[in-house]
């Protein structure tokens, strides 16, 4: 499962970075790219660390359920905003 997540994670940053020019003006592109890259780095480190900490306190089933709930909430929020 970790291999699949790591493989799919390789597609997330290029896909998100390709959308940046659609949302920001040309003169703000460098700043937006640097903010996006910084966010991906922080979330990459924090996500694995946070997941490891959660795994010590909860069962894998609880963590999987929380992941599904947060993912569905994120997609609902994205559809509402966009």
């Amino acid at each position: 499962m970790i291999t699949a997540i790591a493989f799919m994670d390789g597609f997330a940053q290029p896909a998100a970075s390709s959308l940046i020019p659609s949302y920001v003006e040309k003169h703000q592109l460098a700043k937006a790219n640097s903010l996006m890259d910084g966010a991906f780095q922080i979330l990459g480190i924090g996500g694995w660390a946070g997941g490891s900490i959660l795994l010590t306190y909860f069962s894998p089933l609880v963590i999987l359920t929380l992941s599904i709930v947060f993912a569905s909430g994120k997609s609902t929020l994205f559809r509402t905003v966009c």
Side-chain angles (χ1 to χ4, degrees):
M1 184 167 183
I2 292 175
T3 304
I5 292 170
F7 179 75
M8 296 302 288
D9 190 43
F11 294 104
Q13 186 169 4
S17 295
S18 69
L19 293 173
I20 292 174
S22 302
Y23 292 108
V24 298
E25 296 178 15
K26 192 168 188 154
H27 69 278
Q28 295 177 328
L29 196 56
K31 184 177 181 180
N33 279 329
S34 65
L35 286 173
M36 181 68 84
D37 287 339
F40 267 107
Q41 293 296 322
I42 291 169
L43 290 173
I45 294 169
W48 287 105
S52 300
I53 292 169
L54 286 176
L55 193 56
T56 60
Y57 292 108
F58 301 106
S59 71
L61 181 60
V62 171
I63 294 173
L64 182 61
T65 305
L66 286 173
S67 298
I68 292 170
V69 168
F70 287 136
S72 64
K74 183 175 79 169
S75 63
T76 303
L77 179 64
F78 183 72
R79 278 183 276 157
T80 305
V81 172
C82 297

